[in-house]
């Protein structure tokens, strides 16, 4: 089956995005990313049809993006759709903490299943932890036990997320208001 032409609404029209991505992804690779972001379980045949490539070319490009570490097809729990509580936690590290204690702390929080994202920041805060739990009260208890008396943590601020409108290039619909 010959690859279909890429639908106009699937083309990358934002010049700013093109400029940012041009070093790592061409327009076809970006369309592959967007298609897999919508449905990571789609077959290479369907992926090729979506982006205007043969099945073989789509698979080759997808595998290349995975090998370079530019995409990772994984499952994501959409917390608001599951009616779970989640929050952003901004952490300031103790300025006098030694490197070993800091590395141990980072390893510890990397293995916490209730933390789904860890970002390192410059500025007022050092880390952003994105956490989830059954309720905001459970998040509070979890964070106190994890952070409050840890030598690496100077202070932290928790900001509950009430609704996510867009994540992973998807518009999200449900959740509590």
């Amino acid at each position: 089956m010959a690859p279909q032409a890429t639908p106009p609404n699937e083309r990358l029209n934002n010049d700013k995005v093109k400029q940012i991505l041009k070093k790592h992804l061409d327009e076809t690779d970006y369309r592959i990313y967007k298609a897999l972001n919508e449905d990571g379980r789609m077959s290479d045949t369907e992926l090729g049809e979506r982006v205007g490539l043969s099945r073989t070319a789509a698979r080759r490009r997808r595998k290349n993006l995975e090998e370079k570490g530019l995409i990772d097809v994984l499952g994501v729990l959409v917390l608001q759709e599951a009616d779970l509580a989640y929050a952003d936690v901004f952490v300031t590290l103790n300025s006098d903490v030694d490197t070993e204690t800091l590395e141990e702390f980072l390893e510890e929080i990397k293995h916490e299943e209730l933390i789904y994202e860890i970002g390192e920041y410059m500025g007022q805060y050092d880390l952003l932890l994105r956490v989830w739990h059954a309720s905001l009260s459970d998040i509070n208890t979890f964070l106190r036990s994890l952070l409050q008396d840890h030598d690496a943590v100077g202070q932290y601020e928790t900001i509950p997320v009430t609704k996510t409108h867009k994540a992973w290039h998807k518009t999200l619909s449900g959740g509590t208001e």
Side-chain angles (χ1 to χ4, degrees):
M1 175 181 217
Q4 298 174 352
T6 305
N9 61 346
E10 292 288 329
R11 295 186 199 283
L12 182 55
N13 294 319
N14 186 320
D15 289 334
K16 196 177 287 188
V17 173
K18 281 183 186 180
Q19 184 67 24
I20 293 168
L21 292 175
K22 75 177 182 180
K23 184 175 181 180
H24 300 287
L25 301 171
D26 64 18
E27 188 171 334
T28 302
D29 287 341
Y30 187 71
R31 287 193 321 266
I32 288 171
Y33 152 73
K34 285 186 71 168
L36 290 172
N37 202 34
E38 289 175 22
D39 179 5
R41 295 174 14 153
M42 76 173 56
S43 69
D44 290 329
T45 300
E46 185 179 348
L47 179 62
E49 289 171 359
R50 283 278 305 272
V51 301
L53 296 173
S54 69
R55 176 182 52 83
T56 304
R59 179 183 12 212
R60 185 177 59 245
R61 280 184 172 251
R62 178 188 47 79
K63 285 184 174 275
N64 185 43
L65 290 168
E66 288 173 331
E67 287 169 6
K68 287 180 178 179
L70 293 173
I71 64 168
D72 192 4
V73 179
L74 49 92
V76 176
L77 177 62
V78 182
L79 299 166
Q80 79 182 14
E81 301 296 331
D83 202 24
L84 295 167
Y86 51 113
D88 291 345
V89 183
F90 295 92
V91 178
T92 302
L93 299 170
N94 275 328
S95 58
D96 59 349
V97 70
D98 62 82
T99 304
E100 184 179 333
T101 302
L102 177 58
E103 292 300 322
E104 288 172 0
F105 172 67
L106 290 172
E107 278 305 309
E108 182 182 332
I109 63 175
K110 283 181 194 175
H111 297 288
E112 285 290 343
E113 288 190 49
L114 296 170
I115 298 174
Y116 64 92
E117 185 177 342
I118 302 170
E120 192 169 329
Y121 280 62
M122 297 185 318
Q124 181 178 355
Y125 302 103
D126 298 303
L127 299 174
L128 167 65
L129 310 180
R130 294 208 152 136
V131 301
W132 66 279
H133 216 302
S135 70
L136 289 176
S137 177
D138 290 333
I139 287 175
N140 193 34
T141 302
F142 168 70
L143 291 173
R144 279 190 184 143
S145 69
L146 182 68
L147 303 175
Q148 197 158 23
D149 295 323
H150 201 289
D151 292 339
V153 177
Q155 59 185 358
Y156 65 95
E157 179 180 355
T158 305
I159 301 174
V161 179
T162 57
K163 185 169 184 165
T164 301
H165 296 276
K166 178 182 176 184
W168 317 286
H169 286 265
K170 294 181 185 183
T171 300
L172 301 177
S173 58
T176 57
E177 302 244 298

